[in-house]
Amino acid sequence: MKFLVSVLVVAALFGPGHGTAASLPLGPLAAHGVSPERLGRLHRFIQDVIAREQYLGAVTLVARNGTIIDWQAYGHQDAARGQPMQRDSIFRIYSMTKTVTAVAVLTLMEEGKLGLEDPVGKYLPDFAQPKLFAGGSAAAPKLRPAENRLTIRHLLTHTPGFAVYGKDDAPVNVLFARGRLSESADLKEYAARLARLPLAHEPGEQFHYDGVATQLLGRLVEVVAGMPFDQYLKQRIFDPLSMSDTGFSVPSANRHRIAAMTTSGKDGKVAPAAAGVVPAAGERMNPYLSGAGGLYSTAGDYARFAQMLLNGGTLDGASILGRKTVELMMQNHLSHLTPPTGPSAAEGFGLGGSVLLDPARRGRPGSVGQFGWSGAAATYYTIDPRENLVAILMLQHLPLGLPSDPPKLGVPFYNLVYQGLVK
């Protein structure tokens, strides 16, 4: 009788037309130590947020022990609210792209084509002798050679020294803005423009999160692999993992599945994003192939990518990375800093994502060594090796930095996932 109930629960959650052929295996919550009643709190929370018109729609996915135990779609995919959100809806995942780029770099490391301590200038000669801003004005800057080499590890850990922080009117930031990196036609031009700009601090001395370093990693992959960045990702990651809905653009036949981008109106309720805020649905997010934030994906596709990492680099016979490389990726690489933290006082940074160092200091449930990141339009993922857990939240909402912005859902989402664990 218990088996029959479990089968009926799975059928209700993952019935015909609600999954994708390449998704992870599906199974009942209770068999994997998760309380259906407790996880129901997550469902009600997301439903309530959408009912209050703070968000248009969402997809949540929870996997444990390599099995999807909960995969839900809520609300609507389109601003007119005529099309329900689907579990295979496509989202712009922005900075969740960075973890994919890091994996691409590490595949090249495993092939002996590069090393983390290699100077970037070994492969991109324009970066062989970076200059450091040493004073003066934007009109008459004083520059000196950097004492530290700029390495691949610096790019992966957001410690290269690029002027991506501080006051916009600071001379070094003015010089950086004049580089107009976002106008680059491709990654080759992006790298060439970046190489002409001075560093704000010595490589390796400070953590400053930004996309610039990861864009340069995309160009590094192109040069070392000898092929366009998108082609390499498809060949080495997406195709082996059957991530058929992940890429820098979306085929015309699938664009009806893209979730609409929203912002908030002055009344605090969800509103369609203004024209021009993001490119037309399905088109490239940038002229160049942005390894920092350019990918589209689905919850199902990204779950396969995350599960591959949780498995130690393999999934369904596809070997993307070795186990020890994944272990290295998920360790804190900021231990040389004082304090040895990155995004927060409780978190360090690995190769492509944050690493939880102190759950109590962060103030919400989790595990030491938990790894993950988020995207600018409210997409989130976490990988918890201790709990053998993957959790993903997909929304499509760009905050405006105003009091009318809705509350961010990352913290309550993770709280509600973890409170559901009973074994």
Side-chain angles (χ1 to χ4, degrees), residues 341-395:
T341 56
S344 74
E347 297 171 296
F349 206 84
L351 306 178
S354 64
V355 181
L356 180 57
L357 305 177
D358 189 341
R361 187 166 189 175
R362 188 178 62 176
R364 62 178 172 87
S367 304
V368 172
Q370 186 179 337
F371 183 90
W373 202 238
S374 60
T379 58
Y380 303 84
Y381 86 94
T382 196
I383 299 168
D384 188 333
R386 290 196 178 186
E387 294 293 345
N388 208 2
L389 175 76
V390 169
I392 295 171
L393 170 63
M394 295 288 205
L395 301 130

Short mmCIF file of all heavy atoms in Angstrom, two decimals, residues 341-395:
data_model
loop_
_atom_site.label_atom_id
_atom_site.label_comp_id
_atom_site.label_asym_id
_atom_site.label_seq_id
_atom_site.Cartn_x
_atom_site.Cartn_y
_atom_site.Cartn_z
N THR A 341 37.46 35.51 3.29
CA THR A 341 36.09 35.41 2.82
C THR A 341 35.88 36.24 1.56
O THR A 341 36.72 37.06 1.19
CB THR A 341 35.10 35.89 3.90
OG1 THR A 341 35.44 37.21 4.30
CG2 THR A 341 35.16 34.97 5.12
N GLY A 342 34.74 36.00 0.92
CA GLY A 342 34.44 36.69 -0.32
C GLY A 342 33.11 37.40 -0.33
O GLY A 342 33.01 38.52 0.16
N PRO A 343 32.06 36.76 -0.84
CA PRO A 343 30.76 37.43 -0.96
C PRO A 343 30.19 37.92 0.37
O PRO A 343 29.45 38.89 0.40
CB PRO A 343 29.88 36.36 -1.59
CG PRO A 343 30.83 35.45 -2.30
CD PRO A 343 32.06 35.43 -1.45
N SER A 344 30.49 37.22 1.46
CA SER A 344 30.02 37.63 2.78
C SER A 344 31.02 37.15 3.81
O SER A 344 31.95 36.39 3.50
CB SER A 344 28.63 37.07 3.08
OG SER A 344 28.72 35.68 3.37
N ALA A 345 30.81 37.55 5.06
CA ALA A 345 31.71 37.12 6.14
C ALA A 345 31.62 35.63 6.41
O ALA A 345 32.49 35.06 7.07
CB ALA A 345 31.40 37.90 7.41
N ALA A 346 30.57 34.99 5.93
CA ALA A 346 30.38 33.56 6.16
C ALA A 346 30.75 32.71 4.95
O ALA A 346 30.71 31.48 5.03
CB ALA A 346 28.92 33.28 6.54
N GLU A 347 31.12 33.35 3.85
CA GLU A 347 31.35 32.62 2.60
C GLU A 347 32.71 32.94 2.01
O GLU A 347 33.16 34.09 2.02
CB GLU A 347 30.28 32.98 1.57
CG GLU A 347 28.87 32.60 1.96
CD GLU A 347 27.86 33.20 1.00
OE1 GLU A 347 27.76 34.43 0.94
OE2 GLU A 347 27.17 32.41 0.32
N GLY A 348 33.33 31.92 1.48
CA GLY A 348 34.50 32.10 0.64
C GLY A 348 34.09 31.97 -0.81
O GLY A 348 32.91 31.99 -1.15
N PHE A 349 35.08 31.83 -1.67
CA PHE A 349 34.78 31.67 -3.10
C PHE A 349 35.68 30.59 -3.67
O PHE A 349 36.89 30.55 -3.41
CB PHE A 349 34.98 32.97 -3.86
CG PHE A 349 34.14 33.07 -5.11
CD1 PHE A 349 32.83 33.52 -5.04
CD2 PHE A 349 34.65 32.69 -6.34
CE1 PHE A 349 32.04 33.58 -6.18
CE2 PHE A 349 33.87 32.76 -7.48
CZ PHE A 349 32.56 33.21 -7.41
N GLY A 350 35.06 29.69 -4.42
CA GLY A 350 35.80 28.62 -5.07
C GLY A 350 36.12 29.00 -6.50
O GLY A 350 36.41 30.15 -6.80
N LEU A 351 36.04 28.04 -7.40
CA LEU A 351 36.27 28.30 -8.82
C LEU A 351 34.92 28.29 -9.52
O LEU A 351 34.42 27.26 -9.94
CB LEU A 351 37.21 27.24 -9.41
CG LEU A 351 38.54 27.06 -8.67
CD1 LEU A 351 39.37 25.95 -9.30
CD2 LEU A 351 39.33 28.37 -8.63
N GLY A 352 34.29 29.47 -9.55
CA GLY A 352 33.00 29.60 -10.22
C GLY A 352 31.81 29.68 -9.33
O GLY A 352 30.67 29.71 -9.82
N GLY A 353 31.98 29.73 -8.02
CA GLY A 353 30.85 29.83 -7.12
C GLY A 353 31.29 30.07 -5.69
O GLY A 353 32.47 29.94 -5.36
N SER A 354 30.33 30.42 -4.84
CA SER A 354 30.64 30.67 -3.43
C SER A 354 30.71 29.36 -2.65
O SER A 354 30.10 28.36 -3.04
CB SER A 354 29.59 31.59 -2.81
OG SER A 354 28.32 30.95 -2.79
N VAL A 355 31.44 29.38 -1.55
CA VAL A 355 31.60 28.22 -0.69
C VAL A 355 31.21 28.62 0.73
O VAL A 355 31.75 29.59 1.26
CB VAL A 355 33.06 27.72 -0.70
CG1 VAL A 355 33.20 26.49 0.21
CG2 VAL A 355 33.51 27.40 -2.12
N LEU A 356 30.28 27.90 1.32
CA LEU A 356 29.84 28.23 2.67
C LEU A 356 30.87 27.77 3.70
O LEU A 356 31.24 26.59 3.74
CB LEU A 356 28.49 27.59 2.96
CG LEU A 356 27.88 27.85 4.34
CD1 LEU A 356 27.73 29.35 4.60
CD2 LEU A 356 26.54 27.15 4.48
N LEU A 357 31.33 28.71 4.52
CA LEU A 357 32.32 28.42 5.55
C LEU A 357 31.71 28.31 6.93
O LEU A 357 32.19 27.56 7.78
CB LEU A 357 33.40 29.52 5.57
CG LEU A 357 34.12 29.80 4.25
CD1 LEU A 357 35.09 30.97 4.42
CD2 LEU A 357 34.84 28.56 3.75
N ASP A 358 30.64 29.08 7.19
CA ASP A 358 30.09 29.17 8.54
C ASP A 358 28.58 29.36 8.47
O ASP A 358 28.08 30.48 8.39
CB ASP A 358 30.74 30.35 9.27
CG ASP A 358 30.40 30.41 10.75
OD1 ASP A 358 29.39 29.79 11.15
OD2 ASP A 358 31.13 31.08 11.50
N PRO A 359 27.79 28.26 8.52
CA PRO A 359 26.33 28.39 8.43
C PRO A 359 25.73 29.25 9.53
O PRO A 359 24.79 30.02 9.29
CB PRO A 359 25.84 26.94 8.54
CG PRO A 359 27.00 26.11 8.08
CD PRO A 359 28.22 26.85 8.54
N ALA A 360 26.27 29.14 10.75
CA ALA A 360 25.72 29.92 11.86
C ALA A 360 25.91 31.41 11.63
O ALA A 360 25.01 32.22 11.88
CB ALA A 360 26.37 29.51 13.18
N ARG A 361 27.07 31.79 11.14
CA ARG A 361 27.32 33.21 10.89
C ARG A 361 26.44 33.72 9.76
O ARG A 361 26.00 34.87 9.77
CB ARG A 361 28.79 33.43 10.57
CG ARG A 361 29.17 34.91 10.47
CD ARG A 361 30.66 35.10 10.49
NE ARG A 361 31.01 36.52 10.60
CZ ARG A 361 32.25 36.98 10.74
NH1 ARG A 361 33.26 36.12 10.80
NH2 ARG A 361 32.48 38.27 10.82
N ARG A 362 26.17 32.88 8.79
CA ARG A 362 25.29 33.29 7.70
C ARG A 362 23.85 33.42 8.17
O ARG A 362 23.08 34.22 7.64
CB ARG A 362 25.38 32.30 6.54
CG ARG A 362 24.64 32.78 5.29
CD ARG A 362 24.79 31.82 4.14
NE ARG A 362 24.21 30.51 4.44
CZ ARG A 362 24.14 29.52 3.56
NH1 ARG A 362 24.66 29.68 2.35
NH2 ARG A 362 23.61 28.37 3.89
N GLY A 363 23.47 32.59 9.15
CA GLY A 363 22.16 32.75 9.75
C GLY A 363 21.03 32.01 9.07
O GLY A 363 19.87 32.39 9.20
N ARG A 364 21.34 30.93 8.35
CA ARG A 364 20.28 30.09 7.81
C ARG A 364 20.81 28.67 7.64
O ARG A 364 22.03 28.46 7.60
CB ARG A 364 19.75 30.63 6.48
CG ARG A 364 20.73 30.73 5.33
CD ARG A 364 20.00 31.23 4.09
NE ARG A 364 20.88 31.53 2.97
CZ ARG A 364 21.28 30.64 2.07
NH1 ARG A 364 20.90 29.38 2.18
NH2 ARG A 364 22.05 31.00 1.07
N PRO A 365 19.94 27.68 7.57
CA PRO A 365 20.40 26.29 7.47
C PRO A 365 21.27 26.07 6.24
O PRO A 365 21.09 26.71 5.20
CB PRO A 365 19.09 25.49 7.37
CG PRO A 365 18.05 26.38 7.95
CD PRO A 365 18.47 27.78 7.62
N GLY A 366 22.18 25.14 6.38
CA GLY A 366 23.08 24.80 5.29
C GLY A 366 24.19 23.91 5.82
O GLY A 366 24.15 23.47 6.96
N SER A 367 25.19 23.68 4.99
CA SER A 367 26.30 22.81 5.37
C SER A 367 27.62 23.47 5.00
O SER A 367 27.72 24.14 3.95
CB SER A 367 26.21 21.47 4.65
OG SER A 367 24.97 20.83 4.89
N VAL A 368 28.63 23.25 5.83
CA VAL A 368 29.97 23.70 5.47
C VAL A 368 30.35 23.03 4.15
O VAL A 368 30.17 21.83 3.96
CB VAL A 368 30.98 23.34 6.57
CG1 VAL A 368 32.41 23.64 6.12
CG2 VAL A 368 30.66 24.10 7.85
N GLY A 369 30.84 23.80 3.21
CA GLY A 369 31.21 23.27 1.90
C GLY A 369 30.12 23.37 0.85
O GLY A 369 30.33 23.00 -0.31
N GLN A 370 28.95 23.85 1.24
CA GLN A 370 27.86 24.07 0.28
C GLN A 370 28.34 25.04 -0.79
O GLN A 370 28.99 26.06 -0.51
CB GLN A 370 26.67 24.63 1.03
CG GLN A 370 25.41 24.80 0.24
CD GLN A 370 24.29 25.34 1.13
OE1 GLN A 370 24.32 25.20 2.36
NE2 GLN A 370 23.32 25.97 0.50
N PHE A 371 28.01 24.77 -2.05
CA PHE A 371 28.55 25.51 -3.19
C PHE A 371 27.41 25.99 -4.07
O PHE A 371 26.43 25.26 -4.27
CB PHE A 371 29.48 24.59 -3.99
CG PHE A 371 30.17 25.23 -5.17
CD1 PHE A 371 31.40 25.85 -5.02
CD2 PHE A 371 29.59 25.19 -6.44
CE1 PHE A 371 32.06 26.41 -6.11
CE2 PHE A 371 30.25 25.75 -7.53
CZ PHE A 371 31.48 26.36 -7.37
N GLY A 372 27.50 27.19 -4.61
CA GLY A 372 26.46 27.66 -5.52
C GLY A 372 26.61 29.12 -5.88
O GLY A 372 27.58 29.77 -5.52
N TRP A 373 25.62 29.62 -6.59
CA TRP A 373 25.62 31.02 -6.98
C TRP A 373 24.22 31.40 -7.44
O TRP A 373 23.28 30.61 -7.36
CB TRP A 373 26.67 31.29 -8.06
CG TRP A 373 27.09 32.73 -8.13
CD1 TRP A 373 27.02 33.55 -9.21
CD2 TRP A 373 27.66 33.51 -7.07
NE1 TRP A 373 27.51 34.80 -8.90
CE2 TRP A 373 27.90 34.81 -7.59
CE3 TRP A 373 27.96 33.26 -5.74
CZ2 TRP A 373 28.43 35.84 -6.82
CZ3 TRP A 373 28.50 34.28 -4.97
CH2 TRP A 373 28.72 35.55 -5.51
N SER A 374 24.07 32.62 -7.93
CA SER A 374 22.76 33.12 -8.36
C SER A 374 22.93 33.95 -9.63
O SER A 374 24.05 34.18 -10.09
CB SER A 374 22.12 33.97 -7.25
OG SER A 374 22.95 35.07 -6.94
N GLY A 375 21.80 34.40 -10.18
CA GLY A 375 21.83 35.24 -11.37
C GLY A 375 21.08 36.53 -11.13
O GLY A 375 20.20 36.62 -10.26
N ALA A 376 21.38 37.56 -11.91
CA ALA A 376 20.83 38.90 -11.69
C ALA A 376 19.31 38.95 -11.77
O ALA A 376 18.68 39.79 -11.14
CB ALA A 376 21.43 39.88 -12.71
N ALA A 377 18.71 38.06 -12.54
CA ALA A 377 17.25 38.07 -12.71
C ALA A 377 16.56 37.09 -11.78
O ALA A 377 15.52 36.54 -12.11
CB ALA A 377 16.88 37.80 -14.16
N ALA A 378 17.16 36.85 -10.60
CA ALA A 378 16.54 36.03 -9.56
C ALA A 378 16.50 34.55 -9.89
O ALA A 378 15.47 33.88 -9.75
CB ALA A 378 15.14 36.55 -9.22
N THR A 379 17.64 34.03 -10.35
CA THR A 379 17.81 32.58 -10.48
C THR A 379 18.84 32.16 -9.44
O THR A 379 19.80 32.88 -9.17
CB THR A 379 18.29 32.19 -11.89
OG1 THR A 379 19.52 32.85 -12.19
CG2 THR A 379 17.25 32.56 -12.94
N TYR A 380 18.65 30.97 -8.86
CA TYR A 380 19.50 30.51 -7.76
C TYR A 380 19.75 29.01 -7.89
O TYR A 380 18.89 28.26 -8.32
CB TYR A 380 18.82 30.74 -6.40
CG TYR A 380 18.42 32.16 -6.10
CD1 TYR A 380 17.21 32.68 -6.58
CD2 TYR A 380 19.23 32.99 -5.32
CE1 TYR A 380 16.83 33.99 -6.29
CE2 TYR A 380 18.86 34.29 -5.03
CZ TYR A 380 17.65 34.79 -5.51
OH TYR A 380 17.27 36.09 -5.23
N TYR A 381 20.96 28.59 -7.46
CA TYR A 381 21.19 27.15 -7.32
C TYR A 381 22.17 26.91 -6.18
O TYR A 381 22.99 27.78 -5.84
CB TYR A 381 21.75 26.54 -8.61
CG TYR A 381 23.26 26.64 -8.75
CD1 TYR A 381 24.09 25.59 -8.35
CD2 TYR A 381 23.87 27.78 -9.28
CE1 TYR A 381 25.48 25.68 -8.46
CE2 TYR A 381 25.24 27.87 -9.39
CZ TYR A 381 26.05 26.82 -8.99
OH TYR A 381 27.41 26.92 -9.09
N THR A 382 22.05 25.75 -5.55
CA THR A 382 23.01 25.33 -4.55
C THR A 382 23.27 23.84 -4.70
O THR A 382 22.38 23.08 -5.12
CB THR A 382 22.54 25.65 -3.12
OG1 THR A 382 23.65 25.56 -2.22
CG2 THR A 382 21.45 24.71 -2.66
N ILE A 383 24.50 23.45 -4.37
CA ILE A 383 24.92 22.05 -4.35
C ILE A 383 25.44 21.78 -2.94
O ILE A 383 26.37 22.45 -2.48
CB ILE A 383 26.04 21.79 -5.38
CG1 ILE A 383 25.55 22.10 -6.80
CG2 ILE A 383 26.55 20.36 -5.28
CD1 ILE A 383 26.68 22.15 -7.82
N ASP A 384 24.85 20.82 -2.25
CA ASP A 384 25.25 20.50 -0.88
C ASP A 384 25.76 19.06 -0.83
O ASP A 384 24.97 18.12 -0.75
CB ASP A 384 24.06 20.68 0.07
CG ASP A 384 24.45 20.55 1.54
OD1 ASP A 384 25.44 19.85 1.82
OD2 ASP A 384 23.77 21.15 2.40
N PRO A 385 27.08 18.87 -0.89
CA PRO A 385 27.62 17.50 -0.88
C PRO A 385 27.27 16.73 0.38
O PRO A 385 27.06 15.50 0.32
CB PRO A 385 29.13 17.72 -1.00
CG PRO A 385 29.27 19.04 -1.69
CD PRO A 385 28.15 19.86 -1.13
N ARG A 386 27.22 17.39 1.54
CA ARG A 386 26.93 16.67 2.79
C ARG A 386 25.51 16.11 2.79
O ARG A 386 25.26 15.04 3.35
CB ARG A 386 27.13 17.59 3.99
CG ARG A 386 28.59 17.94 4.26
CD ARG A 386 28.78 18.51 5.65
NE ARG A 386 30.18 18.78 5.92
CZ ARG A 386 30.66 19.18 7.09
NH1 ARG A 386 29.83 19.36 8.11
NH2 ARG A 386 31.95 19.40 7.26
N GLU A 387 24.59 16.82 2.20
CA GLU A 387 23.19 16.38 2.16
C GLU A 387 22.83 15.70 0.85
O GLU A 387 21.68 15.31 0.65
CB GLU A 387 22.25 17.57 2.40
CG GLU A 387 22.35 18.18 3.79
CD GLU A 387 21.85 17.25 4.88
OE1 GLU A 387 21.16 16.26 4.56
OE2 GLU A 387 22.15 17.51 6.06
N ASN A 388 23.81 15.60 -0.06
CA ASN A 388 23.56 15.01 -1.39
C ASN A 388 22.36 15.69 -2.04
O ASN A 388 21.44 15.04 -2.55
CB ASN A 388 23.34 13.50 -1.28
CG ASN A 388 23.74 12.77 -2.55
OD1 ASN A 388 24.22 13.38 -3.50
ND2 ASN A 388 23.54 11.46 -2.56
N LEU A 389 22.40 17.02 -2.05
CA LEU A 389 21.24 17.83 -2.40
C LEU A 389 21.56 18.85 -3.48
O LEU A 389 22.63 19.46 -3.47
CB LEU A 389 20.76 18.57 -1.13
CG LEU A 389 19.62 19.58 -1.26
CD1 LEU A 389 18.29 18.84 -1.40
CD2 LEU A 389 19.60 20.50 -0.05
N VAL A 390 20.63 19.04 -4.40
CA VAL A 390 20.65 20.13 -5.36
C VAL A 390 19.32 20.86 -5.24
O VAL A 390 18.26 20.22 -5.20
CB VAL A 390 20.83 19.63 -6.81
CG1 VAL A 390 20.58 20.75 -7.82
CG2 VAL A 390 22.22 19.04 -7.01
N ALA A 391 19.36 22.19 -5.16
CA ALA A 391 18.13 22.98 -5.11
C ALA A 391 18.24 24.14 -6.08
O ALA A 391 19.27 24.83 -6.11
CB ALA A 391 17.86 23.49 -3.69
N ILE A 392 17.21 24.35 -6.87
CA ILE A 392 17.22 25.38 -7.92
C ILE A 392 15.91 26.17 -7.85
O ILE A 392 14.82 25.60 -7.74
CB ILE A 392 17.36 24.73 -9.31
CG1 ILE A 392 18.73 24.05 -9.44
CG2 ILE A 392 17.19 25.77 -10.43
CD1 ILE A 392 18.88 23.21 -10.69
N LEU A 393 16.05 27.48 -7.95
CA LEU A 393 14.89 28.38 -8.06
C LEU A 393 15.08 29.25 -9.29
O LEU A 393 16.12 29.90 -9.44
CB LEU A 393 14.77 29.26 -6.82
CG LEU A 393 13.77 30.42 -6.89
CD1 LEU A 393 12.35 29.91 -7.07
CD2 LEU A 393 13.87 31.29 -5.63
N MET A 394 14.09 29.24 -10.17
CA MET A 394 14.15 30.04 -11.39
C MET A 394 13.00 31.05 -11.40
O MET A 394 11.83 30.68 -11.39
CB MET A 394 14.04 29.15 -12.63
CG MET A 394 15.19 28.19 -12.83
SD MET A 394 16.71 29.01 -13.34
CE MET A 394 17.55 27.67 -14.18
N LEU A 395 13.37 32.33 -11.41
CA LEU A 395 12.43 33.42 -11.63
C LEU A 395 13.01 34.26 -12.77
O LEU A 395 14.10 33.98 -13.26
CB LEU A 395 12.27 34.27 -10.38
CG LEU A 395 11.77 33.55 -9.13
CD1 LEU A 395 12.66 33.85 -7.95
CD2 LEU A 395 10.34 33.94 -8.81
#
